[in-house]
Amino acid sequence: MPHPNDPKLRAFIDVAPDSDFPIQNLPYGVFSTAAYPAPRVGVAIGDQILDLAVMEKDGLIDLSPAFGVFAHSSINAFMALGPKVWSKTRARISELLRHDNPHLRDNKELRSRALVPMREAKLHLPVAVSGYTDFYSSKEHATNVGVMFRGKDNALQPNWLHMPIAYNGRASTVVVSGTTIRRPRGQLKPPNVEVPSFAPCKRLDFELEMGVVVGQSSPMGGMLSEKQAEEMIFGFVLLNDWSARDIQQWEYVPLGPFLAKAFATSISPWVVTREALEPFCVPGPEQNPTPLDYLRQTRPHNYDLELDVSLRAAQMKEPATICHTNFRYMYWSSVQQLMHHASSGCAMNVGDLLGSGTISGPEKHQRGSLLEISWNGSEPVELPGGIRRSFLEDGDSLVMRGWCQGDGYRVGFGEAEGTILPAE
Ligand code: MN
């Protein structure tokens, strides 16, 4: 049987060459329909969703002794079954969708129950998020922010090159793409003012990130090898770590971000598996100094993954691209982040979400936040129609996209969108 990543595979469903969801992808999500409102697990194929709960019920996917894990409102129960089951299931789904397999292709009755047009489905948060940790692993981003606030000579803090820096975020406000984002309120104290006030954020920003979905747990007190960490990673989503820069600036000393990043985090609805991304694995930047032993990696764990951010103000007809970069620039890989996270004895859980940190590249058009794009408000970005932005305004819609380009197909992530509503 061909490997599900084989570029020559074709589905019996028509998939456009620029579709994010060819048969080489098969990302997992949670959806519901008007006819059947219970959320369940499916995979995206072209502009359709294959209902895995139907496939399992009809005996076409056999997960015994586990049963019914796809009739859940998250992919957590499926993830808990482990990497061997993930791989086996993906191979089986690929086999069922192949153009030369008549089983589903020629069974009209089954097809009508198992395939749902994506436009008719409501997409839900795919993961019941156990914990959310946000890293700070792009050297270009950390350097840009450091230069802005501390000057060129002290841009990177002394610890930055020795470990993946992070803070513990909030799982309670991780939402799926399409969820509107209410402008947060908080304590603001601009440097030129004596006392703080409580008011709506005036410097609302996005952060372009990828999210790792952890699919296996690890015990309290344990550490993770490179292989163990890699095998715990189920897949990836696009992630927007919405940030209130003015709240952050006043609150973050000395314990780091708190409410400035706790009001919302948006993720894309489809979890692209680590296995589907394997053909796009590339080495990351050279790490100097050599990381300590517990952080060493013997294989590449970065991905050649194109990323694109566009912004549409309420009065604009079309969105305008404001950032185009690549996930491959990340200094610390997701595997290193996970090894570091567990290294003190911190237990990891099925459903943990790790934000990569803002992904910026070396070029100006590769900056992954408005803070960097507008250089802290001093160089507003020019949008069509004479619109300028230093930070996000009410009514702005922000869309992130990501994809790995194969030969004649792409393994894509769909989008992570959020529109800003005025503060209450
Ligand atoms: Mn972040």
Side-chain angles (χ1 to χ4, degrees):
M1 207 167 69
H3 191 276
N5 288 347
D6 190 332
K8 288 191 290 294
L9 290 185
R10 274 191 301 124
F12 67 79
I13 293 161
D14 279 336
V15 179
D18 63 347
S19 167
D20 280 339
F21 310 122
I23 194 167
Q24 288 82 3
N25 190 347
L26 306 177
Y28 291 85
V30 171
F31 73 104
S32 62
T33 49
Y36 183 35
R40 64 263 192 205
V41 178
V43 298
I45 177 77
D47 57 2
Q48 311 273 314
I49 300 171
L50 180 67
D51 186 331
L52 296 183
V54 168
M55 300 311 281
E56 193 191 6
K57 200 155 164 259
D58 278 41
L60 293 174
I61 296 175
D62 179 13
L63 292 178
S64 55
F67 187 77
V69 292
F70 294 129
H72 283 222
S73 59
S74 78
I75 63 170
N76 293 39
F78 172 62
M79 291 196 297
L81 300 177
K84 287 204 176 71
V85 176
W86 307 341
S87 212
K88 208 181 99 193
T89 305
R90 182 164 177 268
R92 176 62 179 153
I93 295 167
S94 172
E95 187 189 6
L96 287 164
L97 288 171
R98 276 170 52 174
H99 78 285
D100 52 1
N101 184 347
H103 205 102
L104 178 59
R105 185 191 70 192
D106 297 346
N107 186 338
K108 205 173 165 202
E109 187 278 327
L110 176 58
R111 249 182 20 237
S112 74
R113 284 187 294 125
L115 284 166
V116 175
M118 208 180 284
R119 63 173 187 281
E120 288 172 20
K122 180 174 160 52
L123 297 174
H124 301 263
L125 190 68
V127 179
V129 181
S130 306
Y132 166 49
T133 307
D134 194 36
F135 283 85
Y136 189 58
S137 289
S138 153
K139 193 176 174 185
E140 289 81 4
H141 171 70
T143 303
N144 284 341
V145 174
V147 169
M148 250 180 266
F149 296 110
R150 283 186 303 274
K152 244 193 172 94
D153 296 333
N154 303 301
L156 285 186
Q157 298 280 12
N159 56 9
W160 201 93
L161 291 168
H162 296 277
M163 67 170 113
I165 300 296
Y167 65 91
N168 283 304
R170 290 292 297 174
S172 60
T173 23
V174 177
V175 294
V176 73
S177 173
T179 307
T180 50
I181 306 299
R182 180 74 65 184
R183 178 177 297 275
R185 299 157 302 263
Q187 278 205 21
L188 312 180
K189 198 197 90 60
N192 54 342
V193 170
E194 281 289 302
V195 289
S197 60
F198 186 78
C201 158
K202 292 180 184 64
R203 293 158 76 84
L204 183 56
D205 202 354
F206 72 90
E207 289 189 342
L208 169 64
E209 304 193 18
M210 293 300 297
V212 163
V213 177
V214 176
Q216 292 282 278
S217 60
S218 68
M220 185 174 168
M223 283 182 75
L224 296 173
S225 68
E226 177 184 12
K227 186 162 186 282
Q228 286 170 323
E230 184 177 23
E231 289 182 347
M232 283 171 67
I233 296 175
F234 177 77
F236 291 79
V237 289
L238 299 164
L239 186 148
N240 183 349
D241 179 31
W242 302 98
S243 298
R245 300 295 179 198
D246 41 6
I247 298 173
Q248 185 178 354
Q249 186 206 355
W250 172 232
E251 76 170 4
Y252 89 106
V253 182
L255 291 185
F258 182 44
L259 298 175
K261 286 161 176 284
F263 60 95
T265 304
S266 299
I267 65 170
S268 52
W270 296 107
V271 184
V272 176
T273 60
R274 176 171 49 80
E275 189 180 282
L277 295 175
E278 258 164 28
F280 309 98
C281 229
V282 289
E286 193 195 334
Q287 295 185 314
N288 185 14
T290 305
L292 293 172
D293 280 348
Y294 81 100
L295 285 172
R296 288 229 184 122
Q297 47 187 23
T298 58
R299 299 182 293 284
H301 294 296
N302 280 41
Y303 297 100
D304 181 6
L305 196 169
E306 302 274 333
L307 291 160
D308 181 284
V309 182
S310 61
L311 197 163
R312 190 172 65 83
Q315 61 269 46
M316 285 164 64
K317 284 199 179 67
E318 300 283 330
T321 299
I322 57 170
C323 165
H324 186 96
T325 188
N326 196 300
F327 192 35
R328 68 184 302 157
Y329 300 121
M330 297 309 280
Y331 188 86
W332 296 103
S333 74
S334 307
V335 168
Q336 287 177 315
Q337 291 175 341
L338 195 47
M339 288 195 286
H340 182 62
H341 207 318
S343 65
S344 72
C346 174
M348 304 305 296
N349 284 320
V350 175
D352 279 343
L353 179 67
L354 312 185
S356 60
T358 307
I359 304 161
S360 295
E363 306 291 330
K364 215 170 167 180
H365 68 273
Q366 295 175 323
R367 294 173 178 173
S369 65
L370 275 171
L371 176 71
E372 295 164 270
I373 294 171
S374 76
W375 209 253
N376 199 20
S378 65
E379 300 166 21
V381 56
E382 308 276 349
L383 302 170
I387 297 164
R388 305 170 90 208
R389 283 290 181 276
S390 289
F391 293 96
L392 296 167
E393 311 243 332
D394 295 343
D396 285 358
S397 161
L398 197 100
V399 178
M400 295 175 173
R401 290 178 198 284
W403 66 93
C404 297
Q405 189 63 52
D407 186 7
Y409 69 99
R410 59 159 59 167
V411 171
F413 287 78
E415 63 177 44
E417 190 273 346
T419 299
I420 308 301
L421 299 181
E424 242 160 11

